[in-house]
Amino acid sequence: MPSGNAAGQHVAGVTKQELHKVCSETKSQAKALYRETQTELADQTASQQKRVASVIRSLADEFGAMAGTSETQGVASDLAQQAATRATGIADWLDQRDPGSLLSEVKNYARRKPGTFIAIAAVAGVLAGRLTRGVIEEHKDSAEDSTPESTVTPGYTATNPDFTAGSDYGSNAGFPSTTPGLGGLPR
């Protein structure tokens, strides 16, 4: 039978081995989770990039249609055609890059031309804000159109034209219920 000291050392050794196994398993699970998260993030980024390219391409098609349906050729139709050409080029450029290289190119451009990059980012932010505001306003308008409007004032009833006593307006607060000099009309 082992002594108490030897048994304690044996328990400590087993505990140390088990702790090492748990740490190794935790590390491997953390690495697997990190790889899975990176893969999901890359997939989502690529999906969003394709979606942006698609939106830009449809915008280019609209500009091209505007330029093509113009009855007179002038500055506006030329600008619409140029916008269509450039938007198509941007959409193609986005389609040909993976998210990592796209991010690298954007960073490099920002380093080379910080003023231009900030201006482009500001314009993009303003456009995104306006588009978002327009979508929100449209949603509010459609929600208001679908809800029936009420013309009844809260707290006002036909039998008691005064607001409830608990409101800021109080009941009559000691004033007469008719206005003198107006033929007894209620206030």
Side-chain angles (χ1 to χ4, degrees):
M1 176 176 232
S3 70
N5 192 18
Q9 287 178 347
H10 176 69
V11 169
V14 169
T15 304
K16 186 177 178 181
Q17 288 175 350
E18 290 300 316
L19 185 59
H20 181 63
K21 286 180 185 178
V22 168
C23 287
S24 294
E25 183 64 27
T26 302
K27 282 182 183 179
S28 66
Q29 287 181 359
K31 287 179 182 179
L33 179 63
Y34 177 75
R35 283 191 298 271
E36 183 180 328
T37 303
Q38 289 294 94
T39 302
E40 276 187 42
L41 184 60
D43 291 346
Q44 288 177 0
T45 304
S47 172
Q48 292 296 330
Q49 183 178 337
K50 297 294 182 194
R51 187 178 301 153
V52 168
S54 173
V55 167
I56 292 173
R57 189 165 278 112
S58 68
L59 184 64
D61 292 342
E62 288 181 29
F63 279 135
M66 285 191 321
T69 59
S70 177
E71 293 178 10
T72 60
Q73 295 299 320
V75 176
S77 63
D78 289 344
L79 288 175
Q81 187 58 45
Q82 287 177 8
T85 303
R86 289 183 187 211
T88 301
I90 291 170
D92 290 342
W93 183 80
L94 281 173
D95 277 338
Q96 295 169 357
R97 292 187 173 46
D98 67 341
S101 66
L102 178 65
L103 183 60
S104 296
E105 288 187 38
V106 169
K107 283 181 181 179
N108 289 336
Y109 184 82
R111 280 189 208 111
R112 285 191 319 266
K113 298 182 178 185
T116 305
F117 177 77
I118 290 172
I120 290 171
V123 168
V126 168
L127 288 175
R130 287 183 182 233
L131 288 173
T132 303
R133 191 177 319 133
V135 168
I136 290 171
E137 289 297 321
E138 184 178 309
H139 179 70
K140 283 182 182 178
D141 289 344
S142 66
E144 287 175 0
D145 290 344
S146 65
T147 5
E149 292 187 25
S150 175
T151 57
V152 177
T153 306
Y156 185 84
T157 64
T159 58
N160 181 14
D162 294 327
F163 285 94
T164 58
S167 72
D168 290 340
Y169 300 103
S171 55
N172 286 332
F175 294 104
S177 62
T178 59
T179 307
L182 294 178
L185 294 175
R187 339 180 241 139

